[in-house]
Structure formats: structure tokens, C-alpha cells
Amino acid sequence: MTKSRWLLPAALLLTLAMIAAACGDDDAAEPPPPTDPPATDPPATDPPATQAPSGAETCPSKIVIQTDWFPESEHGAMYNMIGDDYVVDTSAQTVSGSLVASGQDTGLQIEVRTGGPAIGFKSPPAELYSDDAIHFGYVSTDEGFLLRDDTPTVAVMAPLEKNPQMIMWDPETYPDVETIADLGEQNITINVFAGQTYADVFVANGTLNPDQLDPNYDGSPVRFIADGGKIAQQGFASAEPYNYENVFEEWGKPVKIALLNDAGFEIYSQALAVREDDLENLRPCLEWFVPVVQQATVDFYNDPDRTNAMIINAVTQYDSFWVYDEGIADFSVKTQLELGLAGNGPDNTVGNMDPARIQRVLDQLIAADLLEEGQYSPEDIMTNEFIDTSIGF
């Protein structure tokens, strides 16, 4: 995966009650003459097949979501909500169509927008604040705190339980390395994107040394391969291991990885967030939509094929440097489930966020001199009030 990541229930369908017609007395000699029904009693009919589930009418007619990168399986829950009538706009790099909830047409539209180069590498919070048509953006925990002064957002649901970001290395070159801390102890050069929060955090807590971090990573595999695996490199656990073993023929063998999450940097990456000032106005919609996203998350990982085909089709039509095929899509879903990147929290609910975990991230940002003590609290950047606790894997 050649990218940086930003310092970023089923719909509850309420069926209509049918009014049963009363039967006449079987013992009556003659049935009573027919009468017209009272004007106040409309004839009972089946609901239209496309009737919006209760609550959908509280949302905008088109829900727009800004992601942080090209379509990929890590974004599966968002694309899972787009119906089979989807349209790929290759100019705007968006995928839009009917908003479906577990296969049910809600009567709304949904648009998922590509991030990264499609928006000039702006962060999703910055894009949220530059375009009022966007309702939701991907905002990671650290990003929610660090960008709060200029672009305050509130995360309402986290489709991923763990951040897929990792650091990888060649196990043949460094057979004794098992963790990110081991990389620090051996002072192995790590190729990273500039401005990464985790780098500041790991330097501040002594996990890594400042002189071993090379902030010149450009997302390309060229340097790692050219150096013969003598350096370590950042990446995504659900992408790079597949590419280095199966796609980059010059390497063509496994790499070993360690998640940033497992090293103690436990952000919620790509959480779904709204502008802070929009929270109140969107509240009725959020009460309906957040459980829809929760269920879409479960539905995608239980049966990803249709959505992955949509993602692959969109990437193919975009025809850019970013490529995505069935092999990496299948690997991504499998790896996300195996590593717990996607799944329930400790309370068997999908999508909710742990304030204590967010506080730990906040404490790390303070220790790294990125924020001041008492400046913010977890409740400033997240809420679980719209989560349906009955929805999970």
C-alpha cells in the first residue's frame, strides 16, 4: 500500500401493522349487506418495496462520506452501504448510489469520496471544513485532538477496532527482532512518512531513538528493496505483506510486522466523524444512521465479495498509480479479521470507542509535548451515544 495515513443494525425496519377485517357470524341466516368502510379507515396495503426504514427521513437525501485514501477493503463498511445501482465518477473519484441497509433500499442516496491525492492530500477534517456537502469524514484519534483548534470534529463510530498501521522488516536480515521495541534497541533505521504522530510518541516514551527515524518515505517499495531489507519501514498490515510477497517481484518473500497498536499506540484510525457544530442538527439522523453503519460493518466482513468487486471496479476505472485486485482485497479482509483490526470491542459491540483508551492516547500526546495537560478530554472528540450495543460480530 503506497500511502500515508492522516494525523487522521441493519436499519431497524418497522413493519406496518395490518388491520384485519372482522369476520361475520357463521350462524347468521344472511350476511349483512355490504357497507363502505369509514372514511377514516384507509384500505390496508402492503408497504412499497423501497419504503425508507423508520428514521431514514431524518437524514439528508444524500449522505456524503469523505475517506482518507483510494477505495480499499479497510473502507468496506462504507462501500457496503452503496447499492448495485452505483455510479463511479472518474473525474471526482467518487462512488455513489442508493443507500442500502442489509440489502434494503432506504430511499436515500450515499456518496463515498476518495481521499489522498484526490483531495490534494488534505486531511479529511480539512476537507470537511472546506465543503459543506460532506457530512462525515475519517478522523483518527490523534488527528481529532491535534487538529481540534482549527477543524473540531466528533467521532460517532469506529468501523475498525485496531489501527492497521505497522512497521515491517526482513526476518532473514533481523531474525531476533519481534517487536517495535526490538527495532529501537538495535537502532535499525525505519523509513517513515514525515509528521507521523506515532514516531513522536515512540521517541518520547523511549521505544525508538530519534536518529533511527528517516522521514523520507514516499510510499514506494524502491528503497526497502534496494537496501535488501537492511531498513525497516512503515505500512499497513492488511496490504504491504501481500504486496511484498506477491506483487513486488524484486522482493518476492515474506516480511515480518508489528502493529503500532500492539506497541501501545492505540488510536482508533479512520473513525467516522462529523463537524462539531453539526452534531446537534444531525442528532436525529445519527440515531438512525450509526446503527446502519455498525450493521454494514458486520455485513461486509461476513460477506465481502460484492463490496470488494465494487471497490476493485472503482479503482480500475480511476486508472491511477493505485492498483487493487481480488488477491489483495481477499488478503485484506482475512488479515483484518485474523489480527482483530476489524471486530468487536471488549463488550461485544462493534463500532463503539473506549474513553479510557482514548485518554491513554491523549496522555501520550501530552508526554510528547504535542498537547498541553488539561487542554482536552476524550469527550471533546468522541461520543458513543448513537451506538446500538446489540450489534456486533
Side-chain angles (χ1 to χ4, degrees), residues 85-104:
D85 62 348
Y86 72 90
V87 175
V88 178
D89 185 330
T90 58
S91 177
Q93 296 197 14
T94 64
V95 182
S96 59
S98 299
L99 196 164
V100 297
S102 292
Q104 172 71 38

Side-chain angles (χ1 to χ4, degrees), residues 9-11 80 102 157 290-300 350 391-392:
N80 184 266
S102 292
M157 190 268 180
V290 169
V292 169
V293 183
Q294 289 179 267
Q295 190 62 49
T297 303
V298 175
D299 291 346
F300 170 70
V350 66
I391 303 173

Side-chain angles (χ1 to χ4, degrees), residues 58 92 123 137 158 203 209 245 273 288 389 392:
T58 66
S123 69
V203 167
N209 309 303
E245 185 170 358
W288 174 80
T389 57

Side-chain angles (χ1 to χ4, degrees), residues 102-160:
S102 292
Q104 172 71 38
D105 190 337
T106 65
L108 304 179
Q109 296 287 302
I110 183 170
E111 178 177 288
V112 180
R113 298 187 177 185
T114 299
I119 56 173
F121 291 98
K122 287 194 298 184
S123 69
E127 193 69 3
L128 265 174
Y129 274 85
S130 66
D131 188 346
D132 290 341
I134 304 171
H135 305 102
F136 298 91
Y138 276 7
V139 183
S140 299
T141 302
D142 53 336
E143 194 174 36
F145 283 122
L146 295 174
L147 302 181
R148 182 163 177 75
D149 279 354
D150 296 324
T151 54
T153 57
V154 179
V156 296
M157 190 268 180
L160 294 178

